[in-house]
Amino acid sequence: MAVVGSRSRRAEMNWATICCSAFSCLQLYWARLVIRKWFNVSSFDSDYSADTDDDRLSLSGSQDFDPRSSGATNDDDCPKLRRRNSETFRVQYIDTQAVRICAGTWNVGGTVPPADLDIDGWLDTLEPADIYVLGLQEIVPLNAGNIFGIEDDQPASEWENIIRDALNRVRPRNPKSLSHSDPPSPSMFKVSHDMFLETRHGACDTFFSCERPILSEDSLTNIEVLDSTNDNASPSMQITSDSQREERFSYNERVGLSWPEPPLKLLNQYVLERRGGAFKSLNLSIMNLRKPAYVRIVSKQMVGVFLTVWVRRSLRKHISNLSVSTVGVGIMGYIGNKGSVSVSMSIYQTPFCFLCSHLSSGEKDTDHQKRNDDVREIHRRTLFHPHSSSASVLPRSIRDHERVIWLGDLNYRINLSYEKTHELIARKEWQRLLENDQLSNEMRKGNVFEGWSEGVLCFPPTYKYEIDSENYIGDDPESGKRRPAWCDRVIWKGKGMKLLSYRRNEIKLSDHRPVTATFLAEVEVLSLWKLQRALAITYAEIQSQ
């Protein structure tokens, strides 16, 4: 009996020890998470979320994944930038294409978005882009719990659902002439050497994917906005036999036409199915069967700063070398209530960097110096691919990238009195206001963002509004007289980028108005047939010598 009692006491002690150890580990884990959040210490490189490649998940929504398990950040597995120092040699195997990039920023003031929020105007879905770079500030209220506690990612998920719904409603742009019953003359369209066959099991089995027409080196100076004839996601519906499925074309078999508009209208009405050697037409909608047109390749949140990037599904395979960096410049100079989230990626063979930041606030005439310091600190501490080898050609800092887009609530103000600012706004004298804009003056002096560019500000200041109103805050004694300012900005740096539009949208959800900039950016594409030709010529020269 005594032995049984002794065993029972030992078992109770063991359970008590296990429970205490588990509680201690939980405390340590929570403390580790909080400390990592305070000082922006990532557990591994490129700690971010993205859509998976699973078709079912793509149809039903999104799911976060671990970049370590997917190989997204393993530098040995990622395709490297194929770059050479000799421009004379590179031009022999590099083509130039153009991608349309929509960059949007919005300080949402910690407001939870309603499920039916219409953001089509902000995303400019009437002129769909190939890439959407969207930055939100104050995605959660900047209170002590959110700043120092565990990160609340629920608002980010709700914003992602709204973005996904808006992009899923995007339709191909209308062509100049459309006739599915009478296909265009082959002489009007360029044969694509990069055409390949993509297959997918299901109702819509086979599609052709055609790349964009090639652009010359100086094409962006006179280039026009791409219409549906240049849509990278434009497939042409093709009926194939079962034996042809999942077959890649050889060089001699790559013959086809780039349609000015994919027959998606026909595709939405009919799904062709082969049974017993005869095709039967099925009257059903494939809206829920087809894959979404856009996929989320990266989303990252740091307290209230949130950056998410979406691309056309057909472009996803040309995105590589993804890496994410966060820099907190808030409380104690390290907390993430202010700071930046940055993404580095290669689009084809061109390295891009996208940044979303929320800089220090303040209306004093000297407060812009704090914002300048924030920018310098972000430049100094932003680091990509920290585990790559020293011989790697991957960009490590912001300045290492060839194309950079920086967006966010930069918080720069206008150095005018409250009354004078409102007077110029009422008269729409934007140039007079711009002459006193802190960011424009600092860029002009070279104190910050030297060599960067911004579009013409021909819209009213985006801050500070009464909620759900067209009136600026000012007359309310509790709110104080806040001078309106262009706090929300999109700037860029790099050659081969053309600004198509720079505007604001009139969504009244917060005290800021969202801003959108649309670009046409050159990207370098490795041309295998050009490379093969160059190697053949070089080999012939060697043989002749």
Side-chain angles (χ1 to χ4, degrees), residues 521-533:
E522 276 188 351
V523 293
E524 294 182 338
V525 183
L526 177 68
S527 175
L528 295 179
W529 71 271
K530 275 191 172 184
L531 178 60
Q532 183 180 7
R533 184 181 62 181

Side-chain angles (χ1 to χ4, degrees), residues 489-500:
R489 313 288 275 267
V490 181
I491 61 177
W492 79 93
K493 185 176 184 179
K495 297 179 180 179
M497 296 184 66
K498 178 183 179 182
L499 181 67
L500 301 179

